[in-house]
Amino acid sequence: MAPYATWPSPISAADVARTGLRISYPTAMGREVWWQEDRPDEGGRTTIMHHTPDGLHETLPAPWDARTRVHEYGGRSYLVVPGHGIVFSHHPDQRLYLLTGRGEVRPLTPEPERPGCLRYAETTLHGDEVWCVRESHAADGRVTRAVVAVPLDGSAACREVATGSDFYAGLAFSPNGEHLAFICWNHPRLPWVSTELKIMRMESGKSWTVKGGQTESILAPQWLDDSTLYLISDWSGWWNIYQIGIYGTSSQALYPAEEEFARPLWRLGGKPYQILADGRLAVLHGQGGDQRLGILDPDDCTLADLDLDYNVWDSALTADGNLLVGVASGPTSGRTLIRLDLATGETAELRREIETPPHIAYLPIPHPVEIESRFGRMIHAYRHPPGNPTAEWRGLPPYVINVHGGPTGHADTALDLSKAYLTSRGIGILDLNYGGSSGYGRAYRDRLRGQWGVVDVEDAIASARWLLDARIASRVAIRGRSAGGWTVMAACAASTVFAGGVSVYGVSDLSTFNDTTHDFESRYVEWLVGPPDPILYDARQPLSSASSVRCPMLLLQGLDDPVVPPQQSTVFAAAMKDNGIPCTLITFAGESHGFRRADTQIKALEAEIAFYRDIFAD
């Protein structure tokens, strides 16, 4: 018998940090597979792994760090080039390098004037050149992007081949090499709001728009043949797969459904579907945080799901012939690199982030719930009850509402040991997909347009009251990262329903955020709140309401964060102190937007559980 939040658990903070291995962006070629892998115990370094019939090999030795900073969120940072080696972006200077088969590393791009001022992502091979998106940071702070060609032999400077748009993604060459497809968009829009699909004729360098516009998000173009493409569009209200000619003719939906076949494009280089050797498509689809893996036949427009024990997939599938590789997970299985032989039905697990998961009795089983918010809006969430086979308890447990780091993100049912760390100690979790979250169609995402700090806050408060009114929870706290941290601060100021709040690199001051954040999101606030207006921003931002907060708070912040600078946390903590409300600010040197180092992850999680023990103490 032990109080909630103090149950003895076999899951330690160090166990959680070890799951930060983070497998991502696989590449399949025959029976060989490459992927990126984060190493928290190496200071957050990203290496490149290689699985062959002979076993597992680390391809990129320390201190090389394969991580791109394009858009600050990065994405796929390497390209396997048969006969040459592996091209990768090195994190400290952001140059492209070639790792040869003999283990030699040589630069492909020129040394920049300042480390990191030239960045590269979305690499793809065309002849003896690597084509990619280059992001240029001028000394005066201006940021521009272009599609460039980089010679593989490192003999010449980058050649600009497409300019004029603020952002580029999804580079794909036609099978005959005569055309390049790509998507692009301009400020103030984001790629889940508005993009265009363009085709460039390689001979002339001229391009034209095939599909897209101000109210349509186009993603993930891939070529069916030399004159036809597949793409994903949300013009119907849902991201569905379409087939279209290179001049915008004969557009047709392959499988129209009120389901999402893609996720918002925060990181570059992923592919949410793959074309198989027999012409069928391996696709990810579904409603909500989870997505199923299915096989779509474009000839008869049928979709059949594969019978697998995984219901959460990264939007980064790769295929060679009938071999399909992806990163998947489920409620009781951590992120795992899976290879499927669709011809034989054979399934192989190539790499696990959690080699030996805790006993299932210590793992929370998520329950999907719908909650009514203000004006009858229905919101979605997953409830993770506390559980521990060695503990006995009386009364209702405390709960923590977890607000994802969106705004267009989403919560899913994948095993997350940081949640099990809490639930096994007697704290329930409600994973909230507030209005604005992805996975439920464009109309659900658009609920947040102009309403950031209103809809998300109302949904968080309604969820807390539901937990209490339904006698599921005794007390409720709230926690969130990045945009979720904004919601935490705003919700604690708007209601006394919360026993405490934890903000992890959250936004508190809109005007300062607009002036200091990175280029990719520098105009996002205009969509989320409205054009710059001191009166509107002051009324909406949590910092202006800090004097209304009546519950203790914990703020966690990386000191090298270019997305949400440290000032966003320090000014809110100072306002809390002036208000006489307990507020603890813990900062981490060398950490950016997302804690990558094992020691940081351990300290942050242990500080969080100590905070909950204090506020939930009887």
Side-chain angles (χ1 to χ4, degrees):
M1 185 70 71
Y4 289 112
T6 67
W7 296 351
S9 170
I11 304 171
S12 68
D15 293 331
V16 177
R18 278 191 286 271
T19 66
L21 201 65
R22 211 61 186 173
I23 299 164
S24 61
Y25 298 103
T27 298
M29 291 186 179
R31 307 295 294 187
E32 298 183 61
V33 181
W34 292 258
W35 64 91
Q36 294 171 209
E37 187 170 293
D38 293 353
R39 297 289 179 82
D41 57 352
E42 295 182 31
R45 183 180 80 91
T46 300
T47 188
I48 300 171
M49 301 296 292
H50 186 196
H51 189 280
T52 72
D54 296 331
L56 185 65
H57 313 276
E58 182 175 354
T59 300
L60 190 68
W64 296 104
D65 187 354
R67 183 152 53 104
T68 175
R69 286 185 58 191
V70 170
H71 298 179
E72 294 300 347
Y73 293 104
R76 182 184 295 271
S77 61
Y78 75 101
L79 175 70
V80 179
V81 183
H84 291 271
I86 298 175
V87 174
F88 68 96
S89 172
H90 182 46
H91 181 253
D93 61 13
Q94 288 295 291
R95 297 173 72 183
L96 287 182
Y97 290 82
L98 175 66
L99 172 66
T100 70
R102 297 186 298 274
E104 302 170 349
V105 178
R106 65 169 187 260
L108 296 183
T109 55
E111 185 173 355
E113 295 180 2
R114 303 176 313 283
C117 72
L118 296 177
R119 307 171 185 180
Y120 306 86
E122 197 75 66
T123 51
T124 188
L125 185 65
H126 181 63
D128 57 359
E129 294 179 318
V130 172
W131 285 45
C132 58
V133 176
R134 183 187 66 194
E135 183 177 270
S136 303
H137 293 248
D140 62 2
R142 184 169 175 264
V143 181
T144 58
R145 295 169 190 85
V147 178
V148 300
V150 180
L152 269 171
D153 60 8
S155 60
C158 301
R159 177 168 53 92
E160 290 189 351
V161 292
T163 59
S165 294
D166 292 333
F167 300 94
Y168 297 89
L171 310 186
F173 285 99
S174 61
N176 60 12
E178 295 181 1
H179 295 96
L180 172 70
F182 58 89
I183 64 170
C184 57
W185 67 97
N186 293 307
H187 281 308
R189 298 180 181 91
L190 280 298
W192 45 88
V193 175
S194 170
T195 62
E196 295 181 358
L197 170 63
K198 290 194 173 184
I199 303 293
M200 180 198 299
R201 183 174 287 114
M202 298 294 292
E203 184 180 13
S204 64
K206 297 185 179 299
S207 61
W208 62 93
T209 299
V210 175
K211 191 167 173 55
Q214 294 186 7
T215 59
E216 183 179 8
S217 171
I218 305 292
L219 302 172
Q222 294 195 52
W223 292 86
L224 169 60
D225 54 40
D226 292 329
S227 60
T228 313
L229 299 103
Y230 293 129
L231 57 88
I232 292 179
S233 167
D234 72 345
W235 79 268
S236 69
W238 298 84
W239 271 314
N240 283 186
I241 299 182
Y242 293 79
Q243 179 179 312
I244 195 169
I246 61 173
Y247 297 105
T249 57
S250 304
S251 175
Q252 60 180 358
L254 298 188
Y255 191 84
E258 292 189 347
E259 295 186 348
E260 301 281 44
F261 286 73
R263 295 299 193 192
L265 186 64
W266 283 95
R267 294 177 175 84
L268 298 180
K271 294 185 184 300
Y273 67 96
Q274 283 289 337
I275 304 171
L276 305 173
D278 58 8
R280 296 180 300 163
L281 278 65
V283 302
L284 302 175
H285 69 106
Q287 264 197 43
D290 296 353
Q291 284 190 314
R292 304 180 299 280
L293 176 63
I295 303 298
L296 174 59
D297 190 330
D299 291 334
D300 57 14
C301 297
T302 58
L303 176 59
D305 290 335
L306 300 180
D307 185 15
L308 300 168
D309 293 330
Y310 311 98
N311 57 340
V312 180
W313 293 79
D314 285 6
S315 290
L317 298 175
T318 178
D320 188 356
N322 286 315
L323 290 176
L324 179 68
V325 178
V327 179
S329 53
T332 59
S333 58
R335 290 163 51 84
T336 305
L337 187 67
I338 308 294
R339 182 176 62 203
L340 305 171
D341 189 328
L342 298 175
T344 65
E346 177 190 1
T347 301
E349 294 186 349
L350 306 184
R351 183 74 158 166
R352 292 181 176 181
E353 289 185 2
I354 306 174
E355 284 297 332
T356 307
H359 190 279
I360 193 172
Y362 292 96
L363 304 181
I365 303 301
H367 303 278
V369 297
E370 288 189 339
I371 301 165
E372 185 174 338
S373 188
R374 195 178 182 192
F375 305 123
R377 292 192 311 260
M378 297 307 296
I379 52 180
H380 304 275
Y382 297 105
R383 185 170 71 89
H384 303 256
N388 184 317
T390 68
E392 296 181 14
W393 59 92
R394 297 191 185 97
L396 300 178
Y399 263 73
V400 173
I401 293 178
N402 183 60
V403 187
H404 62 69
T408 59
H410 61 271
D412 56 42
T413 64
L415 173 61
D416 182 345
L417 278 195
S418 67
K419 295 172 186 172
Y421 180 83
L422 298 181
T423 58
S424 63
R425 285 168 168 76
I427 301 173
I429 293 174
L430 186 77
D431 250 342
L432 179 62
N433 279 323
Y434 55 84
S437 303
S438 57
Y440 304 94
R442 181 157 187 146
Y444 198 84
R445 294 200 311 273
D446 282 352
R447 285 186 186 181
L448 211 58
R449 184 171 190 171
Q451 296 297 304
W452 195 36
V454 178
V455 166
D456 52 324
V457 170
E458 290 174 349
D459 290 354
I461 294 171
S463 299
R465 288 176 174 156
W466 175 78
L467 286 168
L468 295 169
D469 293 345
R471 295 195 54 78
I472 296 171
S474 59
R475 282 158 293 181
V476 179
I478 184 170
R479 58 102 59 200
R481 297 186 229 176
S482 192
W486 152 284
T487 304
V488 167
M489 290 184 274
C492 289
S495 174
T496 58
V497 72
F498 300 104
V502 178
S503 170
V504 187
Y505 38 84
V507 178
S508 69
D509 182 348
L510 286 179
S511 298
T512 304
F513 178 74
N514 261 1
D515 294 338
T516 57
T517 193
H518 62 135
D519 182 68
F520 178 65
E521 291 182 89
S522 62
R523 306 285 296 278
Y524 196 11
V525 173
E526 293 182 29
W527 189 90
L528 290 166
V529 179
D533 180 333
I535 296 176
L536 173 63
Y537 283 18
D538 185 67
R540 192 71 63 83
Q541 64 191 17
L543 182 61
S544 301
S545 304
S547 60
S548 300
V549 177
R550 292 292 177 266
C551 63
M553 296 195 68
L554 170 66
L555 309 183
L556 305 172
Q557 176 72 51
L559 292 178
D560 294 341
D561 193 337
V563 178
V564 179
Q567 183 184 9
Q568 294 289 321
S569 292
T570 57
V571 294
F572 194 84
M576 290 282 289
K577 182 178 180 181
D578 291 343
N579 193 30
I581 301 298
C583 180
T584 301
L585 170 63
I586 302 176
T587 59
F588 301 96
E591 288 288 5
S592 181
H593 199 67
F595 301 153
R596 299 178 62 87
R597 299 176 178 175
D599 58 339
T600 300
Q601 295 170 9
I602 292 170
K603 290 176 183 176
L605 194 54
E606 290 180 341
E608 192 169 346
I609 189 63
F611 176 78
Y612 295 140
R613 284 172 179 157
D614 286 342
I615 64 172
F616 292 145
D618 292 327

